Amino acid sequence: MKNLEAVIFDLDGVIVFTDKFHFQAWKKIADKLEIYFDEEINNRLRGVSRMDSLEIILEEYEGEPLSRERKEELAEEKNEAYRELLKTMTPADVEDDVRETLAEIRRRGYGIALGSSSKNARFILERVGLMDAFDKISDGTNITKSKPDPEVFQKAARFLGKEPQKCLVVEDADAGITAGIAGGMQTAAIGDAVRSGKATYTLNKFRDLLEILV
Ligand code: B16
Ligand code: MG
């Protein structure tokens, strides 16, 4: 394959690592509802939207069924706790490898977009000083369906003005690789997503991208 013109990056688990913050914020909600919650359940929340994440956590809930309004309140409470934790992030939270590789990809002339399920994506990029590294942003604020639906990546390709097959989706979650494939894109797996073997390329380190994007 190859013949690539653009790269679409997932955020959490690829550019930054906010798993621990998601964990702490969801743990607060789980404790309140007396629900069992651990790192393994937290891993299932990768790339999944906020409301879908809450539904996964509620699988362990044994109380009376919760109304839509109550679920929305709980998701909002989680988000407030999460955003407080995000405020502690600084440019030092982005590895040099990531920052330098993004700059080199731009130097090589590729379009660069973000394709994240998060509604906090812009806030995070501002905190870590990476807003300028992306030409376009497609995130949780411009989609109706979350990964594994390809919508977030299709929008990113459209924002960049690139054909899907000329875009490389970089993902750490299986749901994200599935979404990229469904969108007709080439895919690169890093971290957890490597295991399934579904992606077009696999990365050990972020900078391995420079061997694909020659
Ligand atoms: P928010 P990504 C995803 O981001 C996270 O992996 C996932 O754990 C989170 O629930 C989702 O964003 C929604 O985030 O509550 O901030 O809108 O991996 O697609 O960059
Ligand atoms: Mg991710």
Side-chain angles (χ1 to χ4, degrees):
M1 289 244 261
K2 291 209 192 172
N3 188 20
L4 291 160
E5 292 182 0
V7 193
I8 305 172
F9 291 95
D10 173 51
L11 179 61
D12 279 332
V14 173
I15 305 287
V16 293
F17 299 88
T18 57
D19 277 31
K20 53 188 181 301
F21 297 149
H22 281 296
F23 179 80
Q24 286 175 48
W26 280 126
K27 182 85 173 88
K28 216 175 134 186
I29 304 299
D31 286 351
K32 183 170 164 156
L33 297 172
E34 297 181 350
I35 298 175
Y36 177 75
F37 182 60
D38 63 13
E39 299 277 358
E40 208 173 303
I41 300 172
N42 194 55
N43 282 344
R44 289 175 56 205
L45 311 182
R46 276 203 198 122
V48 176
S49 73
R50 201 178 305 158
M51 276 314 262
D52 290 347
S53 298
L54 178 62
E55 292 297 344
I56 291 173
I57 288 162
L58 289 175
E59 286 171 12
E60 300 286 327
Y61 183 58
E62 287 169 353
E64 291 291 306
L66 302 173
S67 67
R68 185 83 214 155
E69 293 72 43
R70 182 69 185 125
K71 285 182 186 175
E72 269 157 21
E73 259 173 45
L74 291 167
E76 184 49 38
E77 198 179 324
K78 179 266 172 177
N79 195 46
E80 276 166 28
Y82 178 58
R83 281 178 73 97
E84 275 311 305
L85 294 164
L86 289 180
K87 285 184 190 161
T88 65
M89 291 187 89
T90 70
D93 286 301
V94 175
E95 288 168 23
D96 291 345
D97 179 31
V98 170
R99 207 178 282 278
E100 285 159 15
T101 303
L102 286 172
E104 179 58 23
I105 293 170
R106 169 161 287 166
R107 262 196 295 276
R108 293 184 184 186
Y110 292 90
I112 302 181
L114 190 79
S116 166
S117 305
S118 177
K119 290 185 169 138
N120 295 300
R122 281 188 162 81
F123 184 62
I124 295 171
L125 290 181
E126 274 161 18
R127 295 284 334 161
V128 300
L130 272 183
M131 269 306 254
D132 294 344
F134 295 86
D135 302 311
K136 299 287 172 193
I137 292 175
S138 174
D139 65 14
T141 64
N142 62 252
I143 53 170
T144 53
K145 289 162 271 172
S146 79
K147 302 166 190 174
D149 189 281
E151 186 183 9
V152 72
F153 296 137
Q154 286 167 327
K155 291 237 164 101
R158 208 175 310 143
F159 294 163
L160 288 166
K162 301 289 185 190
E163 293 168 57
Q165 66 274 20
K166 293 187 178 164
C167 295
L168 178 70
V169 165
V170 185
E171 261 288 351
D172 71 308
D174 254 347
I177 295 292
T178 306
I181 295 168
M185 287 130 192
Q186 298 183 50
T187 54
I190 192 163
D192 268 18
V194 171
R195 234 178 299 142
S196 74
K198 279 192 268 175
T200 327
Y201 313 97
T202 57
L203 310 171
N204 288 318
K205 287 257 185 298
F206 194 85
R207 66 172 161 274
D208 291 348
L209 278 170
L210 299 178
E211 284 158 32
I212 302 167
L213 303 163
V214 284

